[in-house]
Structure formats: C-alpha cells, structure tokens
Amino acid sequence: MLWELCVLYANGKEDVLRVFKDLDIALNCVDRIYAQDGYPMHKAYTVRPGNLA
C-alpha cells in the first residue's frame, strides 16, 4: 500500500508532497516537519492512503 504525505491549506487546497511505501516512515516525516517548523495555523500535514491508479 502507498501512503501520501499531504499538506492541507486553510482555503481547502491540498497538495501531495511525497509518497511512501511504509506508513511509519510517512508519519515520522510529519513529526519531523512539525518539530522543525512548529504548528502553523494556516496549514496541516497529514498522511492518507495513496491512489493505486
């Protein structure tokens, strides 16, 4: 299964930043982003199942 690291903006826009094969690595990437950049109010980082198409 593939996992997409996404950034969600306050205006509803969503961008896929990277695709991972391992969920734990994707979640660790989110943790590293928040540890480095803090928790901004205008966007959020999430991990979701990727499209296989």
Side-chain angles (χ1 to χ4, degrees), residues 3-20:
W3 299 94
E4 296 177 344
L5 170 62
C6 300
V7 59
L8 307 173
Y9 297 98
N11 64 2
K13 184 180 174 191
E14 178 179 82
D15 290 324
V16 176
L17 301 178
R18 287 189 63 186
V19 177
F20 296 89

Side-chain angles (χ1 to χ4, degrees), residues 10-45:
N11 64 2
K13 184 180 174 191
E14 178 179 82
D15 290 324
V16 176
L17 301 178
R18 287 189 63 186
V19 177
F20 296 89
K21 291 183 180 179
D22 188 322
L23 176 59
D24 289 331
I25 294 173
L27 293 173
N28 285 336
C29 189
V30 171
D31 290 340
R32 285 193 311 267
I33 291 170
Y34 281 131
Q36 180 180 356
D37 297 342
Y39 292 86
M41 295 185 67
H42 62 283
K43 62 183 172 181
Y45 296 95

